[in-house]
Amino acid sequence: MRIFGWVIIAVSVLSLSAGCAGRLTDISDGWTYYGTAHITEESPAADESAWKSVSLPQNFKNPNLKVVWIKRELPVSDVCRRGDCSVFLGKIGDIDVTSLNGTEIGRTGRLRPDYFASWNIDRYYWIPPSLLKDERNVLVVKTVAPSGVVIKGRFKVGPTRDIETHAFWKRFLAQYIPLSTGVAALLIAPFILARFLADRKNILFLYFGLTSFIWSLLSLHFFLPDFGISYYLADNLYYALLSVEVALIFFFLQNLYGIRIRFLNSLIIVLALVGVAVSLSSTPEQPISAGWRSMVVGVCALLTQIVWGTLLVGAMRKNRSEALPVMAAYVIFMICLFHDILRITNFLSDDLYWINFGYAAMIISFGVVMGQRISNVARQLRVSMDTVETKNASLYSLMGK
């Protein structure tokens, strides 16, 4: 329980650290934008009257603008003119091309035909001093997203060292922690599955191994720049695997605590099949991240996650000490899930999704409980061996007499 408390404290401290890079100037206000629902449009309107004022962060999904240009005058300090200046844009859904005075200084993500969305990447770009003018310096950010553009954070400009520090802590929380847990799960999963093959009666190792392996794939999905398949197919497979993952966690918990309810078994299987079918039915023209499909998959997953809680409540009544680590992880998971629901529905402006911490907490708690069980078996085996040795010694003593 203390471990999970320290995790929450660490995440909170790092979140504060991400916003405390010293000499940065916030440039989130004073922008104008021009947007269109036609993703093929290459240039913004030349008429300034067509541009509207906007402050960041901003969700352009309503109305559904798929290409948005934003621009504003960039404040230029002496540090920038010496060549030690960068601009931080944070997370943008999905792709950006950033220019200063008409010259591109950076881009993240890839446009069609080799499309790749980099919505979870915190961007920053160095500002070449040769591009700076004595008068106005205009920064233009073109953003593209087939499901609607979202600018998720606040823009900042400042010394490159401070920008790099700010970006590092942002990436540490959003990328490095989930990626490290995914890699750890990928390394551990083969040993867990091998343990199942050695003892096929213990199906817990099968569920735990598959859950760990699928989590590693889900976490890597956010960061690999190339899957060897199209981004849209990879996205479909991500949501399909997510539907399988939440079902596997249910069956792991069910077998871990010996709580079997036939109705729930059927319900979870149906929810998983619906999630997989809906995920795989989306197309590049109708991506899963846009429209009703993501909502259906999310509702199916949420219902399954609520059922996890019913199993854990029953487990707490049967064996509190063994259920407590997983219940603590489940509470963390639901806090993370609730945070992200508020984030998606625009009740929160935070640009960090917490659910990766929730899944990592659940899998770690599974490892803790499995370790406890293995330790208990080893302890019982040692006690049995000691008992046998004691009885053998007594038998030898009697035979000697």
Side-chain angles (χ1 to χ4, degrees):
M1 186 70 175
R2 291 181 180 178
I3 294 175
F4 295 121
W6 282 112
V7 169
I8 290 295
I9 292 172
V11 170
S12 301
V13 170
L14 290 173
S15 297
L16 292 174
S17 300
C20 295
R23 297 173 292 169
L24 304 183
T25 300
D26 192 300
I27 55 170
S28 302
D29 298 322
W31 292 83
T32 58
Y33 81 94
Y34 172 78
T36 175
H38 305 291
I39 202 165
T40 56
E41 190 164 338
E42 294 293 333
S43 302
D47 184 2
E48 288 293 330
S49 65
W51 292 69
K52 301 177 182 178
S53 298
V54 68
S55 294
L56 307 178
Q58 187 63 238
N59 187 340
F60 293 100
K61 287 188 175 183
N62 187 20
N64 188 24
L65 300 180
K66 298 180 179 181
V67 183
V68 175
W69 290 265
I70 61 172
K71 65 180 181 179
R72 66 156 283 172
E73 185 174 345
L74 184 70
V76 177
S77 64
D78 291 339
V79 172
C80 289
R81 295 195 183 279
R82 290 197 301 267
D84 184 29
C85 194
S86 296
V87 59
F88 176 84
L89 307 182
K91 299 180 182 69
I92 295 175
D94 293 336
I95 300 163
D96 79 283
V97 180
T98 301
S99 304
L100 178 64
N101 295 329
T103 301
E104 182 179 325
I105 61 172
R107 65 170 63 198
T108 304
R110 300 192 299 269
L111 298 169
R112 293 180 179 178
D114 186 25
Y115 182 84
F116 187 87
S118 296
W119 58 269
N120 200 40
I121 304 297
D122 286 284
R123 306 133 157 84
Y124 69 93
Y125 305 122
W126 178 62
I127 299 175
S130 59
L131 298 181
L132 296 174
K133 298 178 180 180
D134 293 333
E135 300 176 352
R136 296 179 72 244
N137 292 279
V138 179
L139 186 69
V140 178
V141 183
K142 176 185 178 181
T143 58
V144 182
S147 60
V149 170
V150 181
I151 298 175
K152 301 180 180 180
R154 302 184 70 83
F155 288 7
K156 301 178 185 294
V157 64
T160 298
R161 181 177 179 179
D162 291 343
I163 290 288
E164 287 175 341
T165 301
H166 184 70
F168 170 80
W169 288 115
K170 288 281 191 178
R171 291 176 176 180
F172 184 82
L173 291 170
Q175 299 173 43
Y176 303 153
I177 290 180
L179 186 58
S180 64
T181 61
V183 171
L186 182 62
L187 295 174
I188 293 171
F191 295 98
I192 300 172
L193 292 173
R195 179 67 178 80
F196 166 72
L197 293 176
D199 180 15
R200 299 194 179 190
K201 292 182 180 179
N202 195 339
I203 199 170
L204 278 176
F205 286 105
L206 175 62
Y207 289 134
F208 187 28
L210 290 177
T211 298
S212 300
F213 179 69
I214 292 176
W215 165 246
S216 69
L217 297 180
L218 295 175
S219 61
L220 291 173
H221 169 269
F222 294 116
F223 314 112
L224 286 178
D226 188 3
F227 307 110
I229 56 177
S230 73
Y231 177 83
Y232 294 106
L233 178 56
D235 218 26
N236 293 354
L237 291 174
Y238 168 81
Y239 283 98
L241 286 173
L242 182 62
S243 300
V244 174
E245 176 83 339
V246 295
L248 283 174
I249 290 175
F250 165 81
F251 288 111
F252 175 83
L253 294 173
Q254 184 185 60
N255 284 271
L256 180 66
Y257 298 119
I259 301 174
R260 288 178 171 80
I261 304 173
R262 185 173 300 179
F263 165 74
L264 289 181
N265 283 0
S266 301
L267 174 64
I268 299 305
I269 291 172
V270 170
L271 291 174
L273 291 175
V274 170
V276 170
V278 170
S279 300
L280 298 180
S281 69
S282 64
T283 64
E285 292 72 29
Q286 295 180 324
I288 190 170
S289 56
W292 58 271
R293 287 181 175 82
S294 61
M295 182 65 70
V296 171
V297 174
V299 169
C300 290
L302 178 60
L303 291 174
T304 303
Q305 290 153 357
I306 292 172
V307 173
W308 299 350
T310 63
L311 294 179
L312 288 169
V313 169
M316 289 286 288
R317 293 173 178 172
K318 291 179 59 177
N319 188 343
R320 180 181 174 82
S321 61
E322 191 177 64
L324 190 59
V326 183
M327 177 59 85
Y330 179 71
V331 171
I332 293 173
F333 180 92
M334 294 307 290
I335 291 172
C336 294
L337 181 63
F338 185 65
H339 169 274
D340 287 357
I341 291 174
L342 294 178
R343 170 69 185 83
I344 292 170
T345 53
N346 296 319
F347 283 97
L348 289 177
S349 59
D350 183 14
D351 66 347
L352 177 66
Y353 288 99
W354 289 15
I355 196 62
N356 288 327
F357 305 118
Y359 276 107
M362 291 294 291
I363 292 174
I364 290 171
S365 72
F366 297 164
V368 169
V369 173
M370 293 294 286
Q372 286 177 344
R373 287 204 170 184
I374 293 172
S375 178
N376 290 337
V377 170
R379 189 182 303 110
Q380 292 170 4
L381 180 60
R382 187 168 59 250
V383 170
S384 298
M385 291 177 64
D386 291 343
T387 302
V388 170
E389 289 178 0
T390 301
K391 290 183 177 180
N392 285 341
S394 298
L395 181 62
Y396 290 145
S397 177
L398 291 172
M399 290 175 64
K401 293 180 179 180

